[in-house]
Amino acid sequence: MSNLSEALARGEFLVTGEIGPPKGTNIEKCLEDAEHLRGKVTAINVTDIQSAVMRFGGLATCHMLVERDLEPVFQMVCRDRNRLALQSDLLSAHVLGIENVLCLTGDHNILGDHPDSKPVFDLEAVGLLQCVQTLMEGRDMAGNELDGAPPFFPGAVVAPGSEPVEMQIIRMEKKIAAGAKFFQTQAVYDVDQFADFMGRVEGFGVPVLCGLVLLKSVGMARFMNANVSGVNVPDRLIARLKADKEKTKSGEAAIEIAVETIEGVKDLCQGVHIMPLGWDHLVPDIIDRAGLA
Amino acid sequence: MLVTERKPDEEILASVQGDASVFLVGCNGCHSACERGGAEDLPALAALLEGAGKAITGSTTVDFLCDKSLVRSRLRAFTRQILRADSVIVATCGVGIQCVADSVLKRVRPGCNTINLGGNHGTWGATERCAECGDCLLDKTGGICPITNCSKSMVNGPCGGTTSDGKCEVDRQRDCGWYRIYMRLKDLDALDQLKEVVGPKKHGNYLPSYDVMTGEHWATDAPVPAAAAAAGKEGDDE
């Protein structure tokens, strides 16, 4: 079983991190980002052609983490592969030592750098979770028997800040029915809203890791508010980023805000998922200051 | 011309499992030309439902169910029968089913799968779209098509891209299809429907069989009956 599944089963409050493969073949920086997380996080998500911007592959990156004795969470989106390719890559992932799979629908092609590409969406997140489940049971989606079945620890995502939240919660229940064993959330900045959300879903009995995106600048906060559905950076945080430009630039403000958020959600959920977007070197400091080391 | 075929009996009966009474709507447009769902097809549908113990509160056909103003003016005469029914079954293409669903606050269920578009649609001038997927899901989505109304054609609910005003992050002028489906099912007090895991979709149905694309479903393409052809030769119809 993966470290992630075992730690969640033990009820520990844990941290997962995230790296994004590069645009090109120079993978060193991405692996360095992962090294910053060594010993600090339970597992590291590897994004899958994030934001529909063409990049180096997640399967290869996850395998490189396994080789370095770092535990990956293999993110899979449904935008670029039909059910044949998804199943095939899942079989490959198992043989390459990958245990955790995060099933997502994926951002639409129109929002990325190849807007004229053909969207696949043969399955969507719920269907992909069912697909993982089916493979684990030793069959493919057409019902054919597999010569070797892959055990996985499948997870999914949810956006607690999306309105109407009931719509998200119904879908979360479906993801659980389809086999999701853990959730990582969209970025949370409003602890009260997250507390409301957790109050409505804690009965589901599936661990939730609260998503944190490090705030790099005022521009980034405003961009997310305008363009990323379900993310709301409150004005007071934007004012803080504005007030001390040096602190914002150095990442000190991002660290402080992340630590405060962790303190706010610590008793509400089973961990945090930190999405540093390249600022992975700050993560150890956040974990230390939040007292999670 | 939208080519349709009756959904399998079991699928229709499963969709009305919780209903005691049903109102039937058929179309005399291209659907009727496929020899499915016009006035002559409704009695068979009624017999199927009555055989399963359902009461038929009434039935009617409209010339073009894709013309929403026509749908609304024609259905008005049947208001009481429609209100008495637990659901409405519409035996036509995906556009017609959605036009009816947008006109009555009832669970509207598809009687047909729309399998192919060949030629012009009827007089349809509204926003409803049908992808001719051959695997109609309108029964599960409040009569609003998730294939054509969701930019990712999701079948199990919205992605995280619904904006705070219920639009789609891919195109902010466009409504999030799943937001509309959610609101419609809420209005129908049928949100439980959303909890059913749907799919995976039968994408194989997108490719209509050669059989469907030729002759038999197309009135305009149908082979001239031998007797008529022979009569034509003799010049009898002059």
Side-chain angles (χ1 to χ4, degrees):
Chain A
M1 285 310 279
S2 70
N3 292 332
L4 180 62
S5 68
E6 283 174 3
L8 286 171
R10 286 194 298 270
E12 283 169 25
F13 189 87
L14 58 84
V15 183
T16 52
E18 184 168 299
I19 57 170
K23 180 115 184 158
T25 54
N26 292 329
I27 188 80
E28 296 78 15
K29 161 80 168 67
C30 164
L31 293 174
E32 239 169 70
D33 285 344
E35 281 303 329
H36 289 300
L37 306 173
R38 184 183 290 279
K40 299 287 178 185
V41 300
T42 305
I44 302 170
N45 284 43
V46 176
T47 53
D48 181 13
I49 316 189
Q50 190 175 10
S51 313
V53 172
M54 195 289 296
R55 294 155 199 269
F56 188 90
L59 184 56
T61 309
C62 283
H63 179 55
M64 290 168 132
L65 293 188
V66 171
E67 280 184 323
R68 285 159 179 77
D69 207 20
L70 291 166
E71 182 168 306
V73 176
F74 178 34
Q75 294 196 183
M76 279 192 117
V77 303
C78 300
R79 174 192 57 236
D80 309 312
R81 283 167 287 197
N82 68 6
R83 64 189 81 172
L84 288 169
L86 288 166
Q87 291 179 99
S88 175
D89 280 356
L90 281 162
L91 297 180
S92 305
H94 166 67
V95 174
L96 293 175
I98 294 160
E99 294 175 282
N100 308 309
V101 181
L102 189 76
C103 301
L104 304 102
T105 299
D107 286 327
H108 197 282
N109 308 47
I110 296 229
L111 303 176
D113 67 351
H114 287 59
D116 290 332
S117 57
K118 186 174 183 183
V120 179
F121 299 116
D122 178 12
L123 305 180
E124 34 113 313
V126 175
L128 179 55
L129 284 160
Q130 285 181 311
C131 160
V132 170
Q133 204 60 41
T134 307
L135 295 179
M136 287 168 72
E137 287 161 10
R139 298 205 168 266
D140 69 13
M141 289 178 72
N144 303 305
E145 202 172 319
L146 299 177
D147 179 13
F152 282 118
F153 186 56
V157 298
V158 63
S162 186
E163 290 292 337
V165 73
E166 184 180 25
M167 210 160 71
Q168 289 292 323
I169 291 173
I170 291 172
R171 191 163 157 83
M172 185 178 178
E173 283 185 85
K174 287 168 94 156
K175 288 180 176 180
I176 294 167
K181 298 281 182 269
F182 70 97
F183 283 87
Q184 291 173 323
T185 78
Q186 179 58 284
V188 168
Y189 297 99
D190 185 336
V191 172
D192 293 336
Q193 188 191 42
F194 182 70
D196 280 350
F197 170 79
M198 285 308 298
R200 298 181 63 165
V201 306
E202 65 193 348
F204 297 164
V206 175
V208 173
L209 306 179
C210 173
L212 303 178
V213 168
L214 300 190
L215 286 172
K216 292 180 163 184
S217 65
V218 173
M220 174 199 177
R222 288 201 175 129
F223 177 85
M224 287 199 296
N225 280 350
N227 296 297
V228 184
S229 308
V231 175
N232 175 31
V233 184
D235 289 341
R236 59 178 178 81
L237 292 185
I238 294 179
R240 251 169 89 177
L241 294 173
K242 240 196 270 183
D244 194 336
K245 290 202 174 64
E246 276 312 301
K247 227 171 151 179
T248 301
K249 225 172 143 188
S250 70
E252 180 59 25
I255 295 176
E256 285 177 7
I257 292 167
V259 170
E260 287 165 24
T261 312
I262 293 173
E263 279 161 1
V265 303
K266 217 169 167 175
D267 297 325
L268 300 171
C269 58
Q270 287 72 26
V272 286
H273 173 60
I274 305 179
M275 296 168 265
L277 308 181
W279 276 11
D280 296 71
H281 59 286
L282 301 183
V283 175
D285 208 11
I286 294 170
I287 292 170
D288 291 341
R289 286 205 231 169
L292 301 174
Chain B
M1 172 87 164
L2 278 153
V3 182
T4 46
E5 64 185 7
R6 253 276 289 282
K7 271 188 178 289
D9 289 354
E10 330 62 275
E11 211 180 309
I12 293 176
L13 292 177
S15 75
V16 293
Q17 208 171 13
D19 302 337
S21 54
V22 182
F23 185 86
L24 304 179
V25 182
C27 179
N28 295 323
C30 36
H31 181 75
S32 175
C34 309
E35 297 170 3
R36 302 283 189 286
E40 54 296 352
D41 199 41
L42 288 186
L45 189 57
L48 170 75
L49 293 160
E50 280 169 340
K54 311 290 172 190
I56 307 297
T57 66
S59 73
T60 186
T61 57
V62 177
D63 279 351
F64 285 100
L65 280 177
C66 51
D67 181 340
K68 221 173 352 186
S69 54
L70 192 61
V71 171
R72 290 180 177 182
S73 63
R74 290 291 187 274
L75 289 187
R76 189 161 293 145
F78 296 90
T79 304
R80 284 169 60 194
Q81 282 136 295
I82 292 172
L83 285 177
R84 275 212 314 275
D86 291 325
S87 68
V88 178
I89 293 186
V90 185
T92 189
C93 70
V95 172
I97 298 162
Q98 290 181 80
C99 286
V100 174
D102 198 38
S103 305
V104 299
L105 193 61
K106 279 277 169 194
R107 289 301 295 276
V108 169
R109 311 189 187 282
C112 296
N113 285 325
T114 306
I115 46 183
N116 190 216
L117 161 68
N120 296 319
H121 293 250
T123 52
W124 153 49
T127 56
E128 287 75 15
R129 295 288 183 275
C130 174
E132 301 110 28
C133 73
D135 181 23
C136 192
L137 297 174
L138 287 166
D139 179 44
K140 301 175 190 306
T141 56
I144 295 169
C145 176
I147 307 303
T148 53
N149 284 287
C150 167
S151 54
K152 298 176 186 171
S153 297
M154 294 176 65
V155 296
N156 277 299
C159 67
T162 316
T163 66
S164 52
D165 55 349
K167 301 290 180 185
C168 171
E169 68 174 0
V170 171
D171 173 357
R172 276 150 199 269
Q173 287 187 302
R174 176 185 169 130
D175 290 330
C176 164
W178 277 99
Y179 179 74
R180 288 182 55 209
I181 292 168
Y182 166 79
M183 295 306 283
R184 170 75 59 81
L185 289 173
K186 202 171 171 171
D187 286 345
L188 290 166
D189 197 20
L191 272 184
D192 269 359
Q193 175 67 62
L194 277 188
K195 294 184 182 169
E196 181 191 335
V197 176
V198 174
K201 193 126 176 59
K202 297 174 198 147
H203 288 293
N205 291 11
Y206 265 107
L207 189 67
S209 67
Y210 183 73
D211 193 35
V212 158
M213 292 179 68
T214 51
E216 73 166 302
H217 286 42
W218 296 53
T220 50
D221 242 15
V224 182
K233 257 184 218 148
E234 287 161 17
D236 274 1
D237 47 341
E238 286 299 315

